[in-house]
Amino acid sequence: MRSELLKDGTAEIAARVESGGRITPEEALLLWRQAPLAVVGTLADSIKRKKSGDSVYYNRNFHIEPTNICLFRCKFCSYRREEGQTGAWNMTLGEIEDAARKYTDSPVTEVHIVGGVHPAHDLDFYTEMIRRIKVVLPDVTIKAFTAIELAYMIEKAGMDYTTGLRILKNAGMEAIPGGGAEIFDEDIRRRICPEKGSTDRWLEIHESAHNIGLRTNATMLYGHVEGIEHRIDHMERLRTLQDRTGGFDAFIPLKFRSAGNSMENCGEVPVTDDLRTLAMSRIYLDNFPHIKAYWPMYGKTTTEMALSFGADDIDGTIDDTTKIYSMAGAEDLRPVMTVDDIKTLVSAAGYRAVERDTFYNEV
């Protein structure tokens, strides 16, 4: 570590990070604001190498997005449509089954399912969806539904979260993605997604999932109206839950994209903020195995840089099956990368691409 680059007490904090120590929210705020980008990048890369060496993980995956019709009107969302509005869709179970069937002769190992919270869909609908996909693709892991979708369908069924999650698990759901977390600070949440499920609901769903053996991920939407202290508070709540359950596999910082939503006037943060956020995520979330730079959201160039700032996963091949970020103005309007593309990107950053399954077992 180049100590001459550090000041205002950050040298001591950096030394503790290097030695494997945990830092407080106050120390994280100081490091975030005062340490040069090169320093936090070096610290994050050192932690990443201790956890996963020179490996950068990817998988062969595709998405199913059953609907973009949604009860909630989140101000940052470019994906949502009203029923009957131009650009709205709502797939039938048969159409979902057909979407899965396209991959019967493919080497994919995961299907990722998220969408809008459709008012007419219930737990029985989603359970049948999972069963049908599992019949079509018995060897493919189903990672499905944000905590917000899960809370709605389970509460609608009049069940506690553990009971509802067990029903979905028994149908074939094997993991849960991290979406819907946004920012945990309640005041910020009231400003950007006042109708959406609460922070407590999100955390309770994930804790309930961990308690019955379902692995999950966690996200954070950053770069809009929140401050650095809100990002740290968000990560602190995740770190605390991970201390208790150990059920999170990866943390995924999600950059706010401003096209086509009512928060366009916020603009977008620069790449330097993306890299610092990734690095501080790796530094602060010392109990998370993996930090993901989600390439359809960042774009390929920023993703390559992210690998030197603590990220050790970039998600997967995607196969042009998600619209969530392309509708918000991400650079890849038709997101797809071949395995060779991924290997080239990772190698150019000086790392080794490693294919994984949903649970980070090497394939």
Side-chain angles (χ1 to χ4, degrees):
M1 182 60 57
R2 295 175 60 188
S3 59
E4 69 272 15
L5 294 177
L6 299 175
K7 59 183 180 180
D8 299 329
T10 54
E12 180 181 341
I13 300 169
R16 184 152 12 96
V17 170
E18 283 188 303
S19 65
R22 173 169 284 192
I23 62 174
T24 67
E26 295 74 22
E27 290 169 331
L29 186 61
L30 186 62
L31 196 64
W32 202 311
R33 287 178 170 166
Q34 298 293 338
L37 181 60
V39 170
V40 294
T42 300
L43 285 170
D45 186 61
S46 174
I47 296 167
K48 172 252 180 289
R49 289 181 181 275
K50 289 174 184 175
K51 288 182 177 290
S52 49
D54 66 348
S55 300
V56 169
Y57 296 98
Y58 72 94
N59 66 349
R60 300 179 196 241
N61 64 345
F62 71 100
H63 289 223
I64 294 176
E65 295 171 353
T67 185
N68 66 343
I69 297 168
C70 188
L71 274 173
F72 305 125
R73 298 172 176 81
C74 301
K75 295 179 180 180
F76 55 79
C77 185
S78 307
Y79 178 80
R80 178 193 182 275
R81 295 293 184 273
E82 296 277 359
E83 189 164 3
Q85 184 180 356
T86 301
W89 71 82
N90 183 28
M91 299 170 72
T92 66
L93 288 171
E95 290 169 334
I96 290 166
E97 204 171 346
D98 290 342
R101 193 171 286 112
K102 293 176 184 178
Y103 293 90
T104 51
D105 297 318
S106 164
V108 297
T109 60
E110 177 187 287
V111 53
H112 180 120
I113 308 171
V114 297
V117 180
H118 195 293
H121 293 171
D122 58 15
L123 184 62
D124 289 340
F125 176 88
Y126 290 111
T127 301
E128 179 64 15
M129 179 193 302
I130 296 296
R131 287 198 187 106
R132 291 194 187 196
I133 293 171
K134 203 63 181 173
V135 168
V136 173
L137 298 171
D139 299 321
V140 172
T141 298
I142 299 176
K143 183 171 73 179
F145 313 129
T146 68
I148 304 305
E149 293 171 90
L150 290 165
Y152 178 78
M153 69 177 81
I154 294 170
E155 289 172 11
K156 187 175 183 179
M159 298 176 183
D160 63 82
Y161 294 152
T162 298
T163 300
L165 289 168
R166 284 192 189 279
I167 289 171
L168 290 162
K169 182 181 180 183
N170 290 339
M173 185 181 78
E174 295 154 277
I176 297 173
E182 321 315 353
I183 282 286
F184 287 152
D185 180 86
E186 288 79 0
D187 289 337
I188 298 295
R189 208 170 179 86
R190 279 190 287 271
R191 290 174 63 187
I192 67 173
C193 52
E195 302 169 324
K196 184 172 263 185
S198 68
T199 294
D200 288 344
R201 273 197 182 98
W202 192 99
L203 293 168
E204 186 179 348
I205 282 280
H206 282 264
E207 182 163 11
S208 299
H210 298 169
N211 288 340
I212 64 168
L214 286 168
R215 306 294 296 180
T216 79
N217 289 337
T219 63
M220 175 182 71
L221 184 70
Y222 72 91
H224 40 90
V225 300
E226 90 293 353
I228 302 304
E229 66 277 11
H230 300 123
R231 300 185 200 179
I232 294 170
D233 169 71
H234 188 100
M235 291 190 286
E236 171 63 19
R237 301 194 206 198
L238 290 173
R239 191 171 74 174
T240 298
L241 179 54
Q242 181 75 332
D243 279 343
R244 191 158 62 243
T245 68
F248 288 115
D249 280 330
F251 177 66
I252 311 158
L254 296 175
K255 177 176 185 166
F256 168 68
R257 292 288 188 176
S258 63
N261 59 64
S262 63
M263 291 173 59
E264 286 180 321
N265 61 328
C266 291
E268 295 180 4
V269 297
V271 171
T272 50
D273 195 346
D274 299 330
L275 298 177
R276 187 177 292 272
T277 300
L278 282 158
M280 289 302 303
S281 301
R282 179 63 287 168
I283 290 166
Y284 197 79
L285 293 172
D286 50 53
N287 54 5
F288 271 64
H290 305 286
I291 302 294
K292 181 184 291 189
Y294 183 52
W295 75 259
M297 177 265 300
Y298 281 126
K300 299 180 183 72
T301 301
T302 300
T303 298
E304 182 180 325
M305 290 188 286
L307 302 183
S308 296
F309 285 79
D312 71 342
D313 186 276
I314 64 170
D315 203 76
T317 47
I318 304 293
D319 198 28
D320 189 24
T321 54
T322 178
K323 295 182 173 63
I324 292 173
Y325 267 95
S326 58
M327 290 172 73
E331 67 180 56
D332 289 288
L333 298 180
R334 298 178 63 89
V336 58
M337 272 211 283
T338 66
V339 169
D340 284 344
D341 292 337
I342 290 171
K343 289 180 176 178
T344 298
L345 183 153
V346 172
S347 176
Y351 299 91
R352 179 174 60 94
V354 175
E355 184 176 356
R356 60 164 176 86
D357 65 12
T358 299
F359 310 104
Y360 288 87
N361 301 303
E362 292 191 19
V363 175

